[in-house]
Structures are given as structure tokens and as C-alpha cells.
Amino acid sequence: LSFRNPHYFAAGATMFGSEGMGGYQYDGMEYTGRFPHARRTDTCIGCHDPHALELDVERCMDCHDNVESREDIPLIRLDEDFDPVDYDGDGDVEEPIKAEIETLQTALLDAITAYSEDMGTPIVYNPDAYPYWFTPDGERYASWTPRLVRTAFNYAWSQKDPGVYAHNADYILQLLYDSIVDIGGEEAAASFTRAPVNDYD
């Protein structure tokens, strides 16, 4: 077994969720499909300049009251007007959805690390150096198990889209949650809540 890294930015596939099947989707689990942003921002160029890929911040300001500049965009939380869910179990239902995702990313990496140590060969992730997963002494990691491959892939997938919180937060939260359960057991995800499967059609 070896690790196959998701290629570059995964934004398009993330936006399509279960339809794009970009992440490793577990048998028997349901995943949110395509995330439709507001009508005028339902395509890549609805939010981004088609040439420079810069965000059109004024578009964001049309719907999100807390956005006044580019720096405010990661502060958005989609369910701010609905019944908020505390996905990461820290008691804060007003924090940005990006923060909820980051907590689960950290938990998954911690669970991957603990699992690898239990297997006898610790693993280290470096997103800036091929082949991304190494032993502590810098050698290419080679002690893969099926469980480690799929959870490492979902972790890397969650890192490959810097705007994942806006492109399809539900989908990435589901992948992270299921991966934490897979690699660390139910107890590793005991304080977390799996994002509901939304049918946006």
C-alpha cells in the first residue's frame, strides 16, 4: 500500500460533495452532495475573479453582515441564522465554521499519529514536501494499512482546499468525523457531532 495525494486544490470536487466523491466515503454512510451557494454565487466565478481567482468580497457582503473585508470571510458561519450545531464539542456554537473544521482536522491528525505509534512506526505529515507522510527521521512512510491510507487521504483532502469552509463544510465535516471514528474508534469522536446530510435540492 502507498499514499496517493489529492492533486492540488480540491475546491471543485469539494463543492460537489458526494456527487464528486473526492474524499474517501465510507460504506453505509451518507454524505451531503453539491453545496449550492446563494443563487448569484452558485458557480466558481460567482465568487471568484475568473482570471486571478481573487474573491469578490462585495458579493460576500451582500448576504453576510459580518463581512467588511477579505479578512472577515473565514469568520462566516452558514448556520448562524438557524439552529447552530457544535460540531467540535467545545460549547461554542458561534465560532466560525472554519474553526469547527480545524478542530476536527487536528483531532484526525492526532488519531492518525496515535494509530501509527500503536502500529510501531510513527507517522509525520508535511504538506510542503513530497511524499507528504514521513517517519520521524524524514524517510518516506511505508508502513501503511488500509485504515491508515483512507484516513490519511481524507486528512490530506481536507487540507487541499483553503476555502473548504465555504465550498462544502458539511461534506468535509462528515469525512473528518467518519475518519476519526475509523482510525480512533467511537471514543475518539465522542465529543464531536457528525454534520447532518443536507439535501439542498
Side-chain angles (χ1 to χ4, degrees):
L1 294 175
S2 62
F3 177 75
R4 297 293 178 127
N5 195 54
H7 182 66
Y8 200 49
F9 288 157
T14 298
M15 191 171 88
F16 277 86
S18 63
E19 296 171 35
M21 295 173 57
Y24 180 86
Q25 297 176 185
Y26 289 86
D27 288 342
M29 302 303 292
E30 290 186 48
Y31 296 90
T32 295
R34 186 180 189 284
F35 174 68
H37 223 100
R39 184 171 295 163
R40 290 182 345 153
T41 57
D42 196 24
T43 64
C44 299
I45 61 173
C47 294
H48 297 269
D49 179 280
H51 303 291
L53 298 182
E54 292 297 320
L55 281 167
D56 182 350
V57 179
E58 290 186 11
R59 256 304 142 96
C60 301
M61 294 166 64
D62 287 347
C63 297
H64 298 284
D65 296 339
N66 61 338
V67 174
E68 296 179 5
S69 69
R70 180 181 181 79
E71 290 71 32
D72 295 330
I73 292 172
L75 304 178
I76 293 172
R77 182 169 182 124
L78 177 63
D79 60 9
E80 57 201 4
D81 297 326
F82 306 103
D83 291 329
V85 177
D86 181 20
Y87 300 107
D88 64 7
D90 66 358
D92 187 354
V93 294
E94 296 181 3
E95 68 181 332
I97 201 68
K98 183 177 188 285
E100 301 264 11
I101 291 169
E102 288 171 347
T103 301
L104 267 70
Q105 287 171 324
T106 299
L108 177 54
L109 185 58
D110 289 347
I112 287 170
T113 302
Y115 175 86
S116 70
E117 290 169 353
D118 289 345
M119 297 298 292
T121 308
I123 195 169
V124 176
Y125 180 66
N126 182 346
D128 300 319
Y130 178 85
Y132 311 106
W133 298 95
F134 300 92
T135 61
D137 60 4
E139 297 296 317
R140 175 190 209 121
Y141 194 81
S143 300
W144 294 101
T145 66
R147 174 171 283 126
L148 192 53
V149 168
R150 59 185 177 246
T151 54
F153 182 84
N154 278 351
Y155 177 78
W157 181 269
S158 77
Q159 299 288 319
K160 289 294 178 179
D161 179 2
V164 68
Y165 57 91
H167 296 142
N168 199 333
D170 291 341
Y171 182 65
I172 210 68
L173 284 164
Q174 291 156 3
L175 292 177
L176 291 168
Y177 180 91
D178 292 348
S179 297
I180 292 167
V181 170
D182 184 21
I183 197 87
E186 295 283 347
E187 62 277 6
S191 63
F192 306 139
T193 300
R194 190 177 193 272
V197 177
N198 289 306
D199 179 6
Y200 292 106
D201 290 336

